[in-house]
Amino acid sequence: MYSPDVESMSREKLAELQLERLKETVKLCEEMVPFYRKKLREKGITWKDIKSLEDIELLPFTTKDDLRENYPFGMFAVPVRDIVRIHASSGTTGQPTVVGYTSRDIETWSELMARSLVAGMADKSDIIQIAYGYGLFTGGLGFHYGVERLGASAIPVSGGNTKRQIRLMVDLGTTVLCCTPSYAIFMAETAEEMGVDFKELKLKSGIFGAEPWSDRMRDKVERLLNLSAFDVYGLSEVMGPGVSIECENKEGLHIFEDAFLPEVIDPGSCEDLPLGEQGELVFTTINKKGMPLIRYRTRDITSLEDSPCPCGRTHLRMRRVRGRTDDMLIIRGVNVFPSQIESVLMQIEDVSPHYQLIVDREAGLDILDVQVEVSEDMFSDRIRGLEQWQELIQAEIESYLGLGVKVTLVEPRTIARSEGKAVRVVDNREI
Ligand code: DLL
């Protein structure tokens, strides 16, 4: 069974466990993965040189490109016959990458997911609707194994068929919903159309992640679905969902540090940054056998916190992911994360949660067009006020970013709804 004791271990004891596991991991990589053997040799070190946790800085980084170059099985540390599950990234931005799990890895992952569910208010008595996609994506199956490990009841509905999702919630009395935050918003809209009121449902919490979302969006989701919303983070290369999750205090996501060693680096110099400073998140897996990773550069931007948490967990927290280094837009020299614009939008009364950022280049000049969908009510009642409303949105965004933007109000239901990860940015400059 899962062992939450490890979550409240003293930092000293945890560090001992981490060091032992780090050494084992580096040894495994050195002995079994030619890619790492070569990298470690180039650095002139072996696993025996790891004497303290700080020595992690001696180790080489791993990037997504390294995984691509070793496609499909080159990063595995065990023979393929010992792999019991393979997941893969979609490969929309290049060659796909695969990840492999031994049966022990599946055990570990299930345990971490069970612990994640507990942090998100779930227990054995819950009915948990898993509306993350099942398949090569790690969301569906990751949650599924966690729910079974917890001993709760899984509804393995996967993403899509939104009306059926709502009917299941009503008929089966779902108490915990798991999906992307953008899909949760879409569900709220569909429920309204169907005349279903979330206040009448039994939902108590939602475990949402797999894409960036802001605290303001959380307020919206909580209001619309009448539940407590938790942010869950993970990535397939490192494991899948269940790398970190918020507790009831919602002051950052506790990283499961008995399985993943976090660092935050300056993405330019690759130097480790002190706690509290924002940079690129890097993970070393220390409890994984099929495909262990050393200092994997996630490209996700966040910072780490070690202040005590009232929940009693001693594991470090990461701030909500602000975005990815590769999602950051550079508009006329100004760095813009889509999540910053989302935060501004969601603070304005009556703004719908459906928006998209369209970037173009006209006569050599970058144009950022923030397309915001008008709600049905606004559209019918306030046609005349729309212009002022558009100006207000534009002024708010411009003053926050210090950058001129265009704001276009679009008719209700014109922005594509998401059943998985939402597409928030369309950058036409690359075409
Ligand atoms: O998205 C795993 C997952 C499934 C996490 C279900 C949470 C819930 P990938 O498809 O490999 O794996 O995508 C990983 O998604 O590097 C982040 O950029 C982003 N991401 C994941 N969770 C969050 C989050 C899954 N809570 C990539 N906030 C990561 C912001 C997130 N971004």
Side-chain angles (χ1 to χ4, degrees):
M1 215 17 224
Y2 67 94
S3 48
D5 285 357
V6 74
E7 293 178 17
S8 51
M9 220 179 219
S10 73
R11 294 291 310 172
E12 293 70 34
K13 272 220 148 348
L14 181 63
E16 275 171 34
L17 175 79
Q18 288 175 323
L19 180 59
E20 191 188 315
R21 289 186 173 176
L22 175 63
K23 283 190 207 161
E24 271 170 26
T25 300
V26 180
K27 183 166 186 277
L28 177 68
C29 287
E30 193 171 328
E31 288 172 356
M32 302 301 291
V33 187
F35 164 81
Y36 279 125
R37 197 176 312 135
K38 181 162 171 276
K39 281 248 184 181
L40 290 165
R41 209 170 280 158
E42 278 165 13
K43 288 241 170 199
I45 53 164
T46 87
W47 67 273
K48 291 182 190 133
D49 295 314
I50 304 297
K51 305 235 158 54
S52 74
L53 284 176
E54 286 70 48
D55 290 336
I56 197 165
E57 290 185 52
L58 302 173
L59 296 170
F61 289 103
T62 310
T63 63
K64 182 96 178 171
D65 280 343
D66 295 328
L67 304 194
R68 289 201 182 106
E69 279 158 27
N70 288 284
Y71 178 83
F73 302 144
M75 299 299 283
F76 289 7
V78 296
V80 175
R81 68 166 179 278
D82 292 336
I83 293 289
V84 299
R85 173 100 64 83
I86 289 172
H87 282 284
S89 74
S90 59
T92 41
T93 55
Q95 192 174 356
T97 53
V98 296
V99 285
Y101 306 72
T102 64
S103 55
R104 186 178 170 284
D105 292 338
I106 296 289
E107 283 289 305
T108 308
W109 189 17
S110 310
E111 174 183 317
L112 295 175
M113 284 310 302
R115 283 161 54 185
S116 303
L117 289 157
V118 169
M121 284 171 66
D123 64 33
K124 226 177 127 37
S125 63
D126 280 301
I127 298 182
I128 305 183
Q129 187 157 331
I130 306 168
Y132 285 110
Y134 278 63
L136 287 176
F137 176 56
T138 51
L141 282 166
F143 271 84
H144 189 97
Y145 276 62
V147 172
E148 290 192 346
R149 171 58 63 98
L150 184 63
S153 315
I155 308 178
V157 53
S158 193
N161 204 339
T162 311
K163 285 195 172 137
R164 187 176 64 176
Q165 302 268 2
I166 308 296
R167 274 199 300 276
L168 285 169
M169 279 181 215
V170 174
D171 294 350
L172 308 185
T174 303
T175 53
V176 179
L177 174 65
C178 309
C179 62
T180 60
S182 54
Y183 193 33
I185 295 272
F186 182 24
M187 285 191 192
E189 189 177 56
T190 308
E192 200 186 337
E193 277 169 20
M194 292 167 71
V196 172
D197 182 354
F198 273 98
K199 292 208 179 66
E200 312 281 306
L201 301 189
K202 296 204 177 123
L203 283 176
K204 65 174 178 189
S205 71
I207 305 185
F208 304 126
E211 63 185 6
W213 55 310
S214 58
D215 267 331
R216 299 286 168 181
M217 186 65 96
R218 184 217 304 275
D219 296 342
K220 229 171 208 159
V221 172
E222 291 191 329
R223 239 190 354 262
L224 287 170
L225 280 84
N226 192 39
L227 47 67
S228 181
F230 293 82
D231 190 8
V232 62
Y233 167 88
L235 62 165
S236 42
E237 297 90 320
V238 164
M239 184 71 102
V243 172
S244 65
I245 185 157
E246 288 177 322
C247 63
E248 66 273 19
N249 296 295
K250 301 185 183 173
E251 286 287 338
L253 294 82
H254 288 283
I255 295 168
F256 292 113
E257 277 193 279
D258 49 316
F260 312 106
L261 285 188
E263 295 169 84
V264 167
I265 62 164
D266 176 321
S269 70
C270 294
E271 293 292 322
D272 261 346
L273 293 173
L275 290 173
E277 271 191 43
Q278 184 170 282
E280 179 181 348
L281 186 60
V282 169
F283 280 114
T284 301
T285 65
I286 52 170
N287 197 15
K288 218 175 136 194
K289 301 294 170 203
M291 202 182 108
L293 288 181
I294 296 176
R295 302 190 88 193
Y296 183 68
R297 293 186 59 172
T298 65
R299 304 193 196 173
D300 291 323
I301 304 290
T302 184
S303 58
L304 298 175
E305 300 260 334
D306 69 346
S307 56
C309 185
C311 76
R313 288 178 180 82
T314 50
H315 293 196
L316 291 184
R317 280 166 290 160
M318 55 186 259
R319 287 268 149 217
R320 252 172 195 291
V321 170
R322 184 142 193 234
R324 295 172 58 78
T325 46
D326 38 9
D327 277 353
M328 188 181 76
L329 296 167
I330 304 180
I331 309 288
R332 304 195 294 280
V334 178
N335 298 348
V336 177
F337 281 106
S339 62
Q340 292 175 300
I341 297 184
E342 177 179 297
S343 273
V344 178
L345 285 176
M346 294 304 119
Q347 283 178 64
I348 304 171
E349 215 185 322
D350 288 339
V351 168
S352 89
H354 305 289
Y355 71 93
Q356 203 163 41
L357 312 180
I358 315 285
V359 191
D360 275 298
R361 184 165 287 146
E362 287 170 21
L365 199 67
D366 299 329
I367 311 283
L368 172 59
D369 182 7
V370 182
Q371 302 205 339
V372 183
E373 205 177 276
V374 180
S375 67
E376 303 269 6
D377 292 350
M378 297 251 333
F379 197 65
S380 48
D381 298 351
R382 293 188 23 191
I383 279 288
R384 286 220 183 85
L386 286 182
E387 201 172 315
Q388 279 162 312
W389 199 58
Q390 178 202 347
E391 282 165 9
L392 169 78
I393 296 174
Q394 184 170 349
E396 294 281 333
I397 297 176
E398 289 187 345
S399 95
Y400 185 88
L401 296 179
L403 174 78
V405 299
K406 182 173 158 199
V407 170
T408 310
L409 299 182
V410 299
E411 288 184 28
R413 280 157 216 282
T414 40
I415 292 177
R417 301 299 188 249
S418 133
E419 296 172 349
K421 298 185 190 238
V423 179
R424 298 291 191 199
V425 180
V426 179
D427 192 340
N428 296 321
R429 291 175 303 180
E430 293 147 355
I431 301 165

mmCIF file of all heavy atoms in Angstrom, residues 23-56:
data_model
loop_
_atom_site.group_PDB
_atom_site.id
_atom_site.type_symbol
_atom_site.label_atom_id
_atom_site.label_comp_id
_atom_site.label_asym_id
_atom_site.label_seq_id
_atom_site.Cartn_x
_atom_site.Cartn_y
_atom_site.Cartn_z
ATOM 1 N N LYS A 23 22.561 7.574 -5.806
ATOM 2 C CA LYS A 23 23.736 6.761 -6.157
ATOM 3 C C LYS A 23 23.309 5.532 -6.958
ATOM 4 O O LYS A 23 23.918 5.206 -7.972
ATOM 5 C CB LYS A 23 24.451 6.298 -4.878
ATOM 6 C CG LYS A 23 25.275 7.360 -4.209
ATOM 7 C CD LYS A 23 26.094 6.667 -3.132
ATOM 8 C CE LYS A 23 26.436 7.586 -2.019
ATOM 9 N NZ LYS A 23 26.827 6.937 -0.790
ATOM 10 N N GLU A 24 22.265 4.867 -6.471
ATOM 11 C CA GLU A 24 21.779 3.661 -7.176
ATOM 12 C C GLU A 24 21.389 3.996 -8.607
ATOM 13 O O GLU A 24 21.656 3.248 -9.534
ATOM 14 C CB GLU A 24 20.510 3.137 -6.475
ATOM 15 C CG GLU A 24 20.769 2.172 -5.366
ATOM 16 C CD GLU A 24 19.480 1.907 -4.576
ATOM 17 O OE1 GLU A 24 18.373 2.050 -5.143
ATOM 18 O OE2 GLU A 24 19.600 1.594 -3.380
ATOM 19 N N THR A 25 20.731 5.158 -8.761
ATOM 20 C CA THR A 25 20.260 5.542 -10.097
ATOM 21 C C THR A 25 21.434 5.815 -11.032
ATOM 22 O O THR A 25 21.448 5.346 -12.171
ATOM 23 C CB THR A 25 19.357 6.799 -10.000
ATOM 24 O OG1 THR A 25 18.253 6.475 -9.174
ATOM 25 C CG2 THR A 25 18.868 7.247 -11.360
ATOM 26 N N VAL A 26 22.427 6.553 -10.528
ATOM 27 C CA VAL A 26 23.568 6.885 -11.393
ATOM 28 C C VAL A 26 24.323 5.595 -11.747
ATOM 29 O O VAL A 26 24.751 5.401 -12.887
ATOM 30 C CB VAL A 26 24.488 7.934 -10.731
ATOM 31 C CG1 VAL A 26 25.669 8.265 -11.633
ATOM 32 C CG2 VAL A 26 23.700 9.209 -10.417
ATOM 33 N N LYS A 27 24.424 4.704 -10.781
ATOM 34 C CA LYS A 27 25.098 3.413 -11.038
ATOM 35 C C LYS A 27 24.352 2.638 -12.133
ATOM 36 O O LYS A 27 24.946 2.149 -13.089
ATOM 37 C CB LYS A 27 25.116 2.608 -9.725
ATOM 38 C CG LYS A 27 25.826 1.280 -9.798
ATOM 39 C CD LYS A 27 26.061 0.767 -8.372
ATOM 40 C CE LYS A 27 26.893 -0.484 -8.331
ATOM 41 N NZ LYS A 27 26.163 -1.707 -8.555
ATOM 42 N N LEU A 28 23.041 2.595 -11.984
ATOM 43 C CA LEU A 28 22.217 1.886 -12.972
ATOM 44 C C LEU A 28 22.415 2.496 -14.374
ATOM 45 O O LEU A 28 22.603 1.783 -15.362
ATOM 46 C CB LEU A 28 20.732 1.980 -12.551
ATOM 47 C CG LEU A 28 19.697 1.368 -13.487
ATOM 48 C CD1 LEU A 28 19.834 -0.151 -13.524
ATOM 49 C CD2 LEU A 28 18.270 1.743 -13.040
ATOM 50 N N CYS A 29 22.387 3.812 -14.443
ATOM 51 C CA CYS A 29 22.540 4.497 -15.730
ATOM 52 C C CYS A 29 23.916 4.194 -16.328
ATOM 53 O O CYS A 29 24.046 3.914 -17.518
ATOM 54 C CB CYS A 29 22.391 6.007 -15.553
ATOM 55 S SG CYS A 29 20.697 6.504 -15.240
ATOM 56 N N GLU A 30 24.921 4.263 -15.469
ATOM 57 C CA GLU A 30 26.297 4.056 -15.940
ATOM 58 C C GLU A 30 26.472 2.627 -16.479
ATOM 59 O O GLU A 30 27.082 2.414 -17.517
ATOM 60 C CB GLU A 30 27.234 4.298 -14.749
ATOM 61 C CG GLU A 30 28.671 4.436 -15.118
ATOM 62 C CD GLU A 30 29.497 4.899 -13.903
ATOM 63 O OE1 GLU A 30 28.990 5.643 -13.044
ATOM 64 O OE2 GLU A 30 30.663 4.471 -13.818
ATOM 65 N N GLU A 31 25.885 1.680 -15.760
ATOM 66 C CA GLU A 31 26.093 0.284 -16.148
ATOM 67 C C GLU A 31 25.218 -0.147 -17.321
ATOM 68 O O GLU A 31 25.633 -0.974 -18.126
ATOM 69 C CB GLU A 31 25.831 -0.623 -14.936
ATOM 70 C CG GLU A 31 26.956 -0.501 -13.916
ATOM 71 C CD GLU A 31 26.678 -1.217 -12.606
ATOM 72 O OE1 GLU A 31 25.562 -1.769 -12.431
ATOM 73 O OE2 GLU A 31 27.580 -1.217 -11.743
ATOM 74 N N MET A 32 24.034 0.436 -17.406
ATOM 75 C CA MET A 32 23.064 -0.111 -18.367
ATOM 76 C C MET A 32 22.720 0.772 -19.566
ATOM 77 O O MET A 32 22.112 0.305 -20.515
ATOM 78 C CB MET A 32 21.751 -0.454 -17.624
ATOM 79 C CG MET A 32 21.901 -1.439 -16.489
ATOM 80 S SD MET A 32 22.591 -3.025 -17.022
ATOM 81 C CE MET A 32 21.248 -3.667 -18.003
ATOM 82 N N VAL A 33 23.034 2.062 -19.499
ATOM 83 C CA VAL A 33 22.611 2.948 -20.596
ATOM 84 C C VAL A 33 23.863 3.544 -21.274
ATOM 85 O O VAL A 33 24.506 4.426 -20.703
ATOM 86 C CB VAL A 33 21.692 4.091 -20.068
ATOM 87 C CG1 VAL A 33 21.130 4.904 -21.231
ATOM 88 C CG2 VAL A 33 20.592 3.557 -19.171
ATOM 89 N N PRO A 34 24.194 3.064 -22.470
ATOM 90 C CA PRO A 34 25.414 3.542 -23.137
ATOM 91 C C PRO A 34 25.475 5.068 -23.252
ATOM 92 O O PRO A 34 26.536 5.658 -23.082
ATOM 93 C CB PRO A 34 25.343 2.890 -24.521
ATOM 94 C CG PRO A 34 24.468 1.692 -24.333
ATOM 95 C CD PRO A 34 23.507 2.031 -23.235
ATOM 96 N N PHE A 35 24.314 5.704 -23.468
ATOM 97 C CA PHE A 35 24.264 7.164 -23.577
ATOM 98 C C PHE A 35 24.828 7.810 -22.307
ATOM 99 O O PHE A 35 25.657 8.718 -22.366
ATOM 100 C CB PHE A 35 22.804 7.598 -23.812
ATOM 101 C CG PHE A 35 22.539 9.053 -23.568
ATOM 102 C CD1 PHE A 35 22.842 10.005 -24.537
ATOM 103 C CD2 PHE A 35 21.988 9.489 -22.359
ATOM 104 C CE1 PHE A 35 22.606 11.358 -24.309
ATOM 105 C CE2 PHE A 35 21.755 10.841 -22.120
ATOM 106 C CZ PHE A 35 22.064 11.768 -23.102
ATOM 107 N N TYR A 36 24.400 7.319 -21.146
ATOM 108 C CA TYR A 36 24.877 7.909 -19.886
ATOM 109 C C TYR A 36 26.329 7.513 -19.602
ATOM 110 O O TYR A 36 27.103 8.307 -19.058
ATOM 111 C CB TYR A 36 23.971 7.502 -18.716
ATOM 112 C CG TYR A 36 22.703 8.351 -18.638
ATOM 113 C CD1 TYR A 36 21.444 7.765 -18.634
ATOM 114 C CD2 TYR A 36 22.783 9.744 -18.577
ATOM 115 C CE1 TYR A 36 20.293 8.548 -18.569
ATOM 116 C CE2 TYR A 36 21.633 10.524 -18.519
ATOM 117 C CZ TYR A 36 20.398 9.922 -18.517
ATOM 118 O OH TYR A 36 19.265 10.702 -18.459
ATOM 119 N N ARG A 37 26.682 6.280 -19.966
ATOM 120 C CA ARG A 37 28.065 5.842 -19.718
ATOM 121 C C ARG A 37 29.020 6.814 -20.408
ATOM 122 O O ARG A 37 29.987 7.292 -19.832
ATOM 123 C CB ARG A 37 28.268 4.425 -20.244
ATOM 124 C CG ARG A 37 29.503 3.744 -19.687
ATOM 125 C CD ARG A 37 29.617 2.308 -20.154
ATOM 126 N NE ARG A 37 28.366 1.588 -19.986
ATOM 127 C CZ ARG A 37 27.817 0.788 -20.908
ATOM 128 N NH1 ARG A 37 28.403 0.601 -22.062
ATOM 129 N NH2 ARG A 37 26.674 0.170 -20.668
ATOM 130 N N LYS A 38 28.671 7.131 -21.660
ATOM 131 C CA LYS A 38 29.520 8.031 -22.446
ATOM 132 C C LYS A 38 29.542 9.436 -21.818
ATOM 133 O O LYS A 38 30.600 10.027 -21.629
ATOM 134 C CB LYS A 38 28.950 8.083 -23.868
ATOM 135 C CG LYS A 38 29.711 8.937 -24.838
ATOM 136 C CD LYS A 38 29.327 8.563 -26.279
ATOM 137 C CE LYS A 38 29.905 9.532 -27.289
ATOM 138 N NZ LYS A 38 29.117 10.726 -27.480
ATOM 139 N N LYS A 39 28.360 9.915 -21.459
ATOM 140 C CA LYS A 39 28.270 11.280 -20.894
ATOM 141 C C LYS A 39 29.061 11.394 -19.591
ATOM 142 O O LYS A 39 29.726 12.400 -19.351
ATOM 143 C CB LYS A 39 26.808 11.616 -20.594
ATOM 144 C CG LYS A 39 26.019 12.009 -21.808
ATOM 145 C CD LYS A 39 25.649 13.468 -21.698
ATOM 146 C CE LYS A 39 24.767 13.917 -22.840
ATOM 147 N NZ LYS A 39 24.446 15.329 -22.731
ATOM 148 N N LEU A 40 28.950 10.365 -18.744
ATOM 149 C CA LEU A 40 29.652 10.407 -17.458
ATOM 150 C C LEU A 40 31.157 10.328 -17.691
ATOM 151 O O LEU A 40 31.937 11.028 -17.046
ATOM 152 C CB LEU A 40 29.179 9.270 -16.543
ATOM 153 C CG LEU A 40 27.742 9.430 -16.031
ATOM 154 C CD1 LEU A 40 27.218 8.130 -15.438
ATOM 155 C CD2 LEU A 40 27.653 10.540 -14.972
ATOM 156 N N ARG A 41 31.540 9.499 -18.653
ATOM 157 C CA ARG A 41 32.973 9.376 -18.963
ATOM 158 C C ARG A 41 33.517 10.724 -19.449
ATOM 159 O O ARG A 41 34.587 11.164 -19.031
ATOM 160 C CB ARG A 41 33.168 8.306 -20.026
ATOM 161 C CG ARG A 41 34.521 7.621 -19.914
ATOM 162 C CD ARG A 41 34.611 6.397 -20.805
ATOM 163 N NE ARG A 41 33.976 5.217 -20.233
ATOM 164 C CZ ARG A 41 33.553 4.175 -20.954
ATOM 165 N NH1 ARG A 41 33.675 4.169 -22.274
ATOM 166 N NH2 ARG A 41 33.012 3.140 -20.365
ATOM 167 N N GLU A 42 32.735 11.378 -20.303
ATOM 168 C CA GLU A 42 33.162 12.695 -20.808
ATOM 169 C C GLU A 42 33.383 13.692 -19.671
ATOM 170 O O GLU A 42 34.246 14.550 -19.726
ATOM 171 C CB GLU A 42 32.111 13.263 -21.768
ATOM 172 C CG GLU A 42 32.233 12.723 -23.183
ATOM 173 C CD GLU A 42 30.976 12.999 -24.024
ATOM 174 O OE1 GLU A 42 30.108 13.819 -23.598
ATOM 175 O OE2 GLU A 42 30.859 12.379 -25.080
ATOM 176 N N LYS A 43 32.546 13.561 -18.632
ATOM 177 C CA LYS A 43 32.666 14.470 -17.487
ATOM 178 C C LYS A 43 33.751 13.995 -16.514
ATOM 179 O O LYS A 43 34.018 14.650 -15.501
ATOM 180 C CB LYS A 43 31.343 14.537 -16.721
ATOM 181 C CG LYS A 43 30.255 15.298 -17.459
ATOM 182 C CD LYS A 43 29.845 16.482 -16.633
ATOM 183 C CE LYS A 43 28.955 17.426 -17.380
ATOM 184 N NZ LYS A 43 28.914 18.745 -16.787
ATOM 185 N N GLY A 44 34.275 12.807 -16.778
ATOM 186 C CA GLY A 44 35.319 12.240 -15.929
ATOM 187 C C GLY A 44 34.811 11.820 -14.554
ATOM 188 O O GLY A 44 35.551 11.884 -13.567
ATOM 189 N N ILE A 45 33.555 11.402 -14.476
ATOM 190 C CA ILE A 45 33.048 10.963 -13.162
ATOM 191 C C ILE A 45 32.360 9.597 -13.256
ATOM 192 O O ILE A 45 31.974 9.159 -14.351
ATOM 193 C CB ILE A 45 32.039 11.963 -12.541
ATOM 194 C CG1 ILE A 45 30.908 12.277 -13.515
ATOM 195 C CG2 ILE A 45 32.716 13.214 -12.054
ATOM 196 C CD1 ILE A 45 29.743 12.921 -12.829
ATOM 197 N N THR A 46 32.229 8.961 -12.111
ATOM 198 C CA THR A 46 31.456 7.716 -12.037
ATOM 199 C C THR A 46 30.502 7.875 -10.852
ATOM 200 O O THR A 46 30.611 8.841 -10.077
ATOM 201 C CB THR A 46 32.333 6.462 -11.784
ATOM 202 O OG1 THR A 46 32.506 6.318 -10.377
ATOM 203 C CG2 THR A 46 33.688 6.560 -12.464
ATOM 204 N N TRP A 47 29.604 6.888 -10.705
ATOM 205 C CA TRP A 47 28.621 6.974 -9.613
ATOM 206 C C TRP A 47 29.314 7.057 -8.254
ATOM 207 O O TRP A 47 28.770 7.612 -7.305
ATOM 208 C CB TRP A 47 27.630 5.801 -9.685
ATOM 209 C CG TRP A 47 28.233 4.464 -9.403
ATOM 210 C CD1 TRP A 47 28.835 3.625 -10.297
ATOM 211 C CD2 TRP A 47 28.302 3.817 -8.138
ATOM 212 N NE1 TRP A 47 29.281 2.502 -9.674
ATOM 213 C CE2 TRP A 47 28.963 2.584 -8.343
ATOM 214 C CE3 TRP A 47 27.884 4.144 -6.846
ATOM 215 C CZ2 TRP A 47 29.205 1.686 -7.301
ATOM 216 C CZ3 TRP A 47 28.116 3.250 -5.810
ATOM 217 C CH2 TRP A 47 28.779 2.043 -6.044
ATOM 218 N N LYS A 48 30.538 6.534 -8.187
ATOM 219 C CA LYS A 48 31.251 6.519 -6.892
ATOM 220 C C LYS A 48 31.623 7.934 -6.439
ATOM 221 O O LYS A 48 31.929 8.168 -5.272
ATOM 222 C CB LYS A 48 32.517 5.671 -6.992
ATOM 223 C CG LYS A 48 32.190 4.199 -7.159
ATOM 224 C CD LYS A 48 33.442 3.349 -7.210
ATOM 225 C CE LYS A 48 33.082 1.940 -7.617
ATOM 226 N NZ LYS A 48 33.916 1.362 -8.636
ATOM 227 N N ASP A 49 31.611 8.883 -7.380
ATOM 228 C CA ASP A 49 31.941 10.275 -7.014
ATOM 229 C C ASP A 49 30.769 11.000 -6.349
ATOM 230 O O ASP A 49 30.926 12.133 -5.891
ATOM 231 C CB ASP A 49 32.369 11.062 -8.263
ATOM 232 C CG ASP A 49 33.666 10.512 -8.841
ATOM 233 O OD1 ASP A 49 34.590 10.268 -8.043
ATOM 234 O OD2 ASP A 49 33.733 10.297 -10.055
ATOM 235 N N ILE A 50 29.598 10.370 -6.345
ATOM 236 C CA ILE A 50 28.429 11.022 -5.724
ATOM 237 C C ILE A 50 28.489 10.762 -4.217
ATOM 238 O O ILE A 50 28.186 9.665 -3.749
ATOM 239 C CB ILE A 50 27.099 10.468 -6.322
ATOM 240 C CG1 ILE A 50 27.080 10.642 -7.844
ATOM 241 C CG2 ILE A 50 25.880 11.134 -5.689
ATOM 242 C CD1 ILE A 50 27.111 12.078 -8.309
ATOM 243 N N LYS A 51 28.905 11.782 -3.482
ATOM 244 C CA LYS A 51 29.078 11.598 -2.032
ATOM 245 C C LYS A 51 28.041 12.386 -1.234
ATOM 246 O O LYS A 51 27.835 12.154 -0.059
ATOM 247 C CB LYS A 51 30.484 12.065 -1.610
ATOM 248 C CG LYS A 51 31.588 11.372 -2.405
ATOM 249 C CD LYS A 51 32.582 10.708 -1.479
ATOM 250 C CE LYS A 51 33.383 9.599 -2.099
ATOM 251 N NZ LYS A 51 34.102 9.893 -3.321
ATOM 252 N N SER A 52 27.467 13.405 -1.891
ATOM 253 C CA SER A 52 26.416 14.183 -1.212
ATOM 254 C C SER A 52 25.402 14.609 -2.265
ATOM 255 O O SER A 52 25.671 14.504 -3.474
ATOM 256 C CB SER A 52 27.027 15.425 -0.554
ATOM 257 O OG SER A 52 27.339 16.365 -1.579
ATOM 258 N N LEU A 53 24.259 15.100 -1.802
ATOM 259 C CA LEU A 53 23.222 15.504 -2.768
ATOM 260 C C LEU A 53 23.698 16.661 -3.642
ATOM 261 O O LEU A 53 23.297 16.781 -4.791
ATOM 262 C CB LEU A 53 21.929 15.899 -2.038
ATOM 263 C CG LEU A 53 21.093 14.734 -1.508
ATOM 264 C CD1 LEU A 53 19.896 15.257 -0.725
ATOM 265 C CD2 LEU A 53 20.625 13.821 -2.640
ATOM 266 N N GLU A 54 24.572 17.496 -3.093
ATOM 267 C CA GLU A 54 25.094 18.641 -3.877
ATOM 268 C C GLU A 54 25.880 18.152 -5.094
ATOM 269 O O GLU A 54 25.994 18.860 -6.089
ATOM 270 C CB GLU A 54 26.012 19.534 -3.029
ATOM 271 C CG GLU A 54 25.296 20.408 -2.006
ATOM 272 C CD GLU A 54 24.697 19.599 -0.854
ATOM 273 O OE1 GLU A 54 25.416 18.748 -0.288
ATOM 274 O OE2 GLU A 54 23.508 19.808 -0.536
ATOM 275 N N ASP A 55 26.418 16.926 -4.999
ATOM 276 C CA ASP A 55 27.216 16.406 -6.118
ATOM 277 C C ASP A 55 26.380 16.196 -7.377
ATOM 278 O O ASP A 55 26.925 15.898 -8.443
ATOM 279 C CB ASP A 55 27.921 15.091 -5.716
ATOM 280 C CG ASP A 55 29.022 15.341 -4.705
ATOM 281 O OD1 ASP A 55 29.535 16.478 -4.659
ATOM 282 O OD2 ASP A 55 29.363 14.413 -3.954
ATOM 283 N N ILE A 56 25.079 16.363 -7.238
ATOM 284 C CA ILE A 56 24.219 16.243 -8.429
ATOM 285 C C ILE A 56 24.680 17.228 -9.507
ATOM 286 O O ILE A 56 24.551 16.977 -10.698
ATOM 287 C CB ILE A 56 22.729 16.462 -8.043
ATOM 288 C CG1 ILE A 56 21.830 15.923 -9.153
ATOM 289 C CG2 ILE A 56 22.416 17.925 -7.763
ATOM 290 C CD1 ILE A 56 20.385 15.757 -8.751
#
